[in-house]
Amino acid sequence: MPEQSERPRTRQSEREPTNGGKGNGEGAAGAALDLASDLDAIAAGVRESFEVGRRVLSYQQYLELYAKDPARQGRDASRYLRDMFLHYGTTTVEAPWGKRTRYRLFDLPWAEPTVQREHLVGQEEVQGEIFRIFENFGREGRPNKLILLHGPNGSSKSTIAACMMRALEHYSALDEGALYRFHWVFPSAKTIKTAIGFGGESGAARGDKSFAHLEEELIDAKLNCEIRDHPLFLLPVTARTKVIGRALAAAGVTEPPPEWLMRGRLSHKSQQIYEALLNSYRGDLKEVLRHVSVERWFISRRYRTGAVTIGPQMSVDAGERQITADRSLAALPASLQAITMFEAFGELIDAAGGLLEFSDLLKRPLDAYKYLQLSVETGEVALQHQNVQLNAVMIGSANEVHLAALREHPEWASFRGRLELVRTGYLRSWVEEKTIYDAQIAPQVRRHVAPHATLVAALFAVLTRMRKPAAERFGPNLASIVASLSAVEKADLYALGTIPERLDADQAKILRASIREVWEESKIYPIYEGRVGASPRELKTALLDAAQDPRFACLSPVAVLDEIEELSSRTGEYDWLQQEVLAGGYHDTRAFREHCKTRLLDMWEDELRVASGLVEERSWLDLFERYVRHVSVWTKGEKVKNAVTGQYEDPDPTLMQHVEKILGVKGDPADFRRGIISGIAAWSIDHPGEQVKNQVVFPQHVRRLKETTFAERQKAIADLCKQLVTFIEGDGRGLDGTQKKNAKASLERLEGMGYCRNCARDAASSLLRWRLT
């Protein structure tokens, strides 16, 4: 998680007022706290932030601001969102199937740690699709489609929208994301001698000073513009077009302005006020604009301002109400009191200028959202007394079942033309899946989380999502290899790029070069990989239940395995438990549980061997690196330098034969050796400028050496496990001095790996019971 210093630097306009550096406990040992002085400092900070942030402007002041950066001040909602994506920047994510671009806003880098837990894990392809759509909206001049994220329940659709809304909140508080709207201000009679609506002096006689900065006691009435019309809408369309064109040309902006800005009109209420004032002032626009207060506004999810989520209700999401009867309007000039004014309200209005999310959109009856089809197409929503212009990006979510039903509807073709479908499936890398549980579940369990507890859950979840490849979709060299992949092998291929050890050198090379092709194979299928399987929600519940297991003081992976077994027994509740088991172990949840248990035991055994100190962790790596060095000079017919004597000698045949025997090399060793060198060359081509790491290029060979080295010490490890359990449970009673010393040293090493005394004991005792006895 990023440190505070790594978060994006903010400008003055977003800074929170401080207490002048005084801590909560200052003065406890001395004089009494002077909270009144603290309040003065806070008030001064708020005042400074208000003024520096340019919160209230006259119309003339806003025009000056617009002229300085017309592209930024003239954005519609889709360009605002696009620029927000670009503001937070991107990072490149490495994966076995290739590099991906990740938009950093989904990491919530500005947020507090408790909020950062809700960041989006993975889904880089979805992020890229959303940004592409925003780019297209910008080119077309307005958001003319609804973005529909579709996928299984729990596939991060709501998280994607929530991250974007959090980013909108933060971005709107920055100078780069400043947003402005206008309100109407009507001063009291004592402020201006001539009453509006009854004729009077000319603008020259009264002066051109705006009413925007009047003190509250000098104002009789103030009318808000709920639709957040752009201030430039107050200029006639023809004149506005010229102003915008001149400003963009002067700033060197080549991108055409959005359609909303060029053709937009005032809302019904503002248009009536504008016309009444213009009549009262006999066509003097500058006098009308004196009544305009341009104010900065901020996006807020809590207050449903520019960021709104709508549930699957059955009503139209906008309406209007008459406001003329409001008693506060009695203070309006006579020329306005006779006008019947209506203001719009509802979620479509609240979301103006930002993002509107339709959660579970397709759960509504079709007639309940038919209006959206026309609204998205025209950019307006029709109310009784006005057509409200929409300036909001609409994004919805739907599960695959409801989307499939809509596809069968006679009007599907009509709806399809106004939708941007973005597939959002489950994650298929257990490494990424584990990140979800580490961030969102581990901090909630209020007890120590044992190593591998979240990994077991993540591995099981991803295994249930694996889809057997259709071999006929691949070329002849790859088809047989892909057809032989088991669900476990495929999951490890996606997560780590691990190539099955059973493949020969040529097959391994082909598969390594084709991981992306395997990854993308099911894209065209309705039942794509990542559509069916265990949801993160179900595994989160299993983890939380496991944390309450009274047998363990920690969140234990053993308890997680038990909860997964219980979850797997509920075959009547989940589709993924009702699938036919296929060759390669696909959909075999019993086999998945056994594999998770086996892998857990492997990890425990590896860690206990390392903790024992009996085998140096790098010993097998050093052995393989020496082997590769000798093979390299052997293939070139050269000599190798002896690290001890400094003399150049022939490659050591004994060393090479010893390693090849451990690796189980069959056939001509010369072919195997040449395959090693070819593998290094191929990896170097794919990773230019990177240092070759044998454990990355040849993980299966390094693992075989490691297992052989450890196997020689298995009895010693079993003895250590017994001693470790005795040391923790009985304070070492029954152990001699050497055994106590070894057990203590091993426990300290395990604690360095994230274990506590309790889960170290659980790991040792479980390993004894299930494998080493």
Side-chain angles (χ1 to χ4, degrees):
M1 190 165 292
E3 297 293 333
Q4 182 70 27
S5 61
E6 296 175 347
R7 296 177 184 164
R9 295 176 66 87
T10 57
R11 300 198 177 191
Q12 180 65 43
S13 60
E14 93 170 296
R15 293 176 190 162
E16 295 289 340
T18 66
N19 62 0
K22 296 183 180 181
N24 292 334
E26 184 176 344
L33 285 173
D34 185 1
L35 295 181
S37 297
D38 283 356
L39 181 59
D40 291 341
I42 293 171
V46 171
R47 180 74 177 182
E48 179 188 6
S49 176
F50 183 89
E51 293 175 352
V52 173
R54 310 195 72 172
R55 295 284 292 271
V56 179
L57 302 173
S58 68
Y59 196 80
Q60 287 77 8
Q61 288 174 325
Y62 178 75
L63 285 181
E64 294 172 2
L65 181 66
Y66 174 81
K68 291 179 181 178
D69 197 342
R72 179 183 295 175
Q73 294 300 326
R75 296 175 289 190
D76 67 351
S78 62
R79 295 190 188 188
Y80 188 83
L81 277 154
R82 177 198 65 186
D83 290 354
M84 178 191 73
F85 268 61
L86 295 173
H87 171 78
Y88 293 106
T90 61
T91 57
T92 299
V93 179
E94 296 278 357
W97 58 90
K99 294 181 180 180
R100 300 170 293 168
T101 297
R102 180 173 181 82
Y103 289 87
R104 294 193 68 245
L105 73 89
F106 291 101
D107 294 324
L108 309 179
W110 63 86
E112 295 300 318
T114 52
V115 176
Q116 281 187 340
R117 296 172 189 166
E118 305 301 321
H119 76 281
L120 177 67
V121 177
Q123 303 291 9
E124 284 77 20
E125 293 87 352
V126 177
Q127 298 172 27
E129 277 294 291
I130 293 173
F131 182 75
R132 177 192 62 80
I133 294 168
F134 289 160
E135 288 275 37
N136 288 344
F137 287 165
R139 293 187 181 96
E140 295 181 28
R142 67 180 183 87
N144 58 0
K145 292 185 179 181
L146 185 148
I147 303 170
L148 185 63
L149 305 178
H150 62 97
N153 294 327
S155 60
S156 303
K157 299 182 293 294
S158 297
T159 301
I160 291 168
C163 287
M164 291 168 61
M165 288 185 178
R166 290 183 189 276
L168 281 170
E169 288 180 308
H170 184 258
Y171 185 57
S172 70
L174 305 177
D175 289 348
E176 295 89 335
L179 293 163
Y180 290 90
R181 60 184 174 187
F182 69 87
H183 303 304
W184 297 99
V185 177
F186 300 94
S188 61
K190 65 181 179 181
T191 306
I192 51 174
K193 294 181 180 179
T194 303
I196 304 171
F198 296 95
E201 302 174 3
S202 67
R206 281 189 291 270
D208 294 327
K209 187 174 181 181
S210 170
F211 301 136
H213 300 293
L214 287 178
E215 299 294 337
E216 285 296 320
E217 61 268 18
L218 302 179
I219 298 175
D220 270 354
K222 188 173 182 179
L223 292 181
N224 295 333
C225 179
E226 73 282 355
I227 301 179
R228 293 189 278 280
D229 288 338
H230 195 283
L232 290 186
F233 287 3
L234 290 161
L235 300 179
V237 173
T238 302
R240 185 197 317 166
T241 302
K242 294 178 180 178
V243 168
I244 293 172
R246 288 176 54 207
L248 293 175
V253 178
T254 58
E255 183 180 35
E259 180 182 313
W260 168 76
L261 185 65
M262 296 297 287
R263 302 181 185 178
R265 302 295 180 114
L266 292 171
S267 65
H268 179 267
K269 180 174 69 178
S270 287
Q271 183 65 32
Q272 288 188 295
I273 295 171
Y274 176 89
E275 293 290 346
L277 290 176
L278 196 64
N279 289 334
S280 296
Y281 286 122
R282 305 188 184 195
D284 192 335
L285 178 62
K286 294 185 71 174
E287 282 298 309
V288 174
L289 296 179
R290 293 178 70 197
H291 291 271
V292 173
S293 172
V294 180
E295 299 180 8
R296 185 171 176 181
W297 64 280
F298 301 89
I299 292 176
S300 169
R301 292 189 306 154
R302 171 170 293 188
Y303 302 113
R304 299 172 68 81
T305 306
V308 178
T309 298
I310 304 177
Q313 65 241 33
M314 295 178 60
S315 60
V316 174
D317 308 302
E320 58 185 354
R321 55 190 169 223
Q322 183 176 341
I323 64 170
T324 310
D326 192 304
R327 64 189 182 92
S328 66
L329 301 184
L332 288 176
S335 61
L336 294 177
Q337 291 183 14
I339 297 174
T340 300
M341 288 186 286
F342 294 87
E343 67 177 7
F345 67 92
E347 289 88 348
L348 286 173
I349 309 305
D350 296 338
L355 186 66
L356 176 61
E357 178 197 6
F358 293 89
S359 179
D360 288 321
L361 173 65
L362 301 186
K363 285 185 178 179
R364 299 176 172 200
L366 185 63
D367 290 340
Y369 56 86
K370 263 188 176 180
Y371 75 95
L372 284 178
Q373 183 181 1
L374 183 61
S375 296
V376 171
E377 182 175 354
T378 63
E380 297 180 342
V381 60
L383 302 181
Q384 184 175 358
H385 295 90
Q386 61 181 313
N387 285 350
V388 176
Q389 289 172 298
L390 298 178
N391 176 36
V393 171
M394 299 185 191
I395 187 169
S397 62
N399 64 43
E400 297 291 1
V401 174
H402 290 113
L403 180 58
L406 180 61
R407 291 180 192 271
E408 299 300 320
H409 196 278
E411 296 189 40
W412 162 246
S414 177
F415 275 100
R416 180 65 184 89
R418 291 303 164 194
L419 296 175
E420 281 281 4
L421 297 178
V422 180
R423 180 179 289 174
T424 312
Y426 290 135
L427 297 178
R428 290 180 282 163
S429 165
W430 57 259
V431 173
E432 291 181 339
E433 186 82 6
K434 179 178 181 293
T435 304
I436 296 177
Y437 307 144
D438 287 339
Q440 298 180 13
I441 296 301
Q444 297 180 22
V445 299
R446 298 182 182 178
R447 57 169 62 185
H448 179 251
V449 178
H452 316 309
T454 55
L455 186 152
V456 166
L459 179 59
F460 178 81
V462 169
L463 285 172
T464 66
R465 303 167 190 168
M466 292 295 98
R467 185 183 190 280
K468 186 172 179 58
E472 63 274 11
R473 293 195 53 81
F474 299 92
N477 292 331
L478 183 60
S480 60
I481 301 172
V482 169
S484 70
L485 286 176
S486 69
V488 172
E489 289 172 341
K490 198 177 187 188
D492 285 339
L493 184 70
Y494 289 164
L496 305 172
T498 302
I499 305 298
E501 296 181 18
R502 58 183 174 76
L503 300 181
D504 62 32
D506 289 337
Q507 290 174 321
K509 182 178 179 181
I510 291 171
L511 181 58
R512 187 176 291 109
S514 306
I515 296 177
R516 186 175 190 86
E517 188 176 349
V518 177
W519 173 265
E520 296 180 344
E521 177 248 336
S522 71
K523 269 187 172 182
I524 64 171
Y525 302 142
I527 309 297
Y528 54 87
E529 190 169 65
R531 173 173 172 172
V532 180
S535 165
R537 295 174 184 171
E538 292 147 15
L539 271 299
K540 288 177 185 178
T541 300
L543 285 165
L544 291 173
D545 289 343
Q548 302 179 57
D549 193 317
R551 298 172 298 165
F552 304 99
C554 307
L555 171 53
S556 168
V558 178
V560 175
L561 285 172
D562 290 343
E563 291 298 332
I564 288 175
E565 183 172 2
E566 193 280 330
L567 174 65
S568 299
S569 68
R570 292 148 64 181
T571 54
E573 298 181 33
Y574 302 111
D575 291 342
W576 56 273
L577 290 171
Q578 300 169 16
Q579 299 180 97
E580 179 186 357
V581 175
L582 302 178
Y586 292 91
H587 318 316
D588 190 343
T589 56
R590 180 188 297 274
F592 294 160
R593 296 196 303 273
E594 285 302 315
H595 176 76
C596 289
K597 180 178 179 180
T598 299
R599 186 165 296 194
L600 175 62
L601 292 173
D602 290 342
M603 292 184 291
W604 277 341
E605 190 171 355
D606 287 349
E607 289 164 346
L608 281 163
R609 281 167 173 159
V610 171
S612 71
L614 297 174
V615 180
E616 288 294 332
E617 190 171 0
R618 279 199 54 87
S619 60
W620 59 88
L621 284 175
D622 292 338
L623 177 60
F624 190 74
E625 287 173 1
R626 285 169 55 208
Y627 172 76
V628 170
R629 192 162 58 250
H630 281 251
V631 165
S632 177
V633 297
W634 175 86
T635 57
K636 300 174 185 176
E638 298 175 353
K639 294 182 180 292
V640 63
K641 186 177 181 179
N642 188 308
V644 177
T645 65
Q647 300 297 315
Y648 285 89
E649 304 171 349
D650 291 330
D652 186 350
T654 304
L655 169 66
M656 292 188 288
Q657 292 166 7
H658 173 65
V659 171
E660 288 159 1
K661 182 179 179 181
I662 295 175
L663 297 179
V665 174
K666 298 177 182 179
D668 188 354
D671 292 337
F672 180 81
R673 295 170 189 176
R674 282 190 284 268
I676 290 289
I677 301 305
S678 296
I680 293 173
W683 191 90
S684 299
I685 291 172
D686 293 338
H687 303 79
E690 295 185 33
Q691 183 179 359
V692 175
K693 296 181 179 179
N694 290 320
Q695 64 267 40
V696 175
V697 184
F698 306 107
Q700 68 277 26
H701 299 331
V702 173
R703 185 162 52 252
R704 179 70 64 85
L705 289 174
K706 174 182 175 182
E707 291 170 353
T708 302
T709 305
F710 278 166
E712 299 170 354
R713 301 283 185 174
Q714 192 170 71
K715 184 180 183 305
I717 298 301
D719 291 340
L720 177 64
C721 287
K722 297 174 184 177
Q723 295 164 12
L724 192 60
V725 172
T726 302
F727 180 78
I728 294 172
E729 289 185 342
D731 294 327
R733 289 189 295 271
L735 301 179
D736 60 32
T738 301
Q739 291 172 333
K740 285 184 180 179
K741 180 180 178 181
N742 291 339
K744 181 179 180 182
S746 297
L747 178 59
E748 290 173 351
R749 294 189 188 102
L750 288 171
E751 288 172 341
M753 300 177 194
Y755 287 85
C756 70
R757 295 174 64 91
N758 293 315
C759 57
R761 176 202 59 210
D762 295 337
S765 60
S766 298
L767 190 60
L768 277 172
R769 182 171 67 254
W770 289 336
R771 174 171 291 182
L772 298 181
T773 300

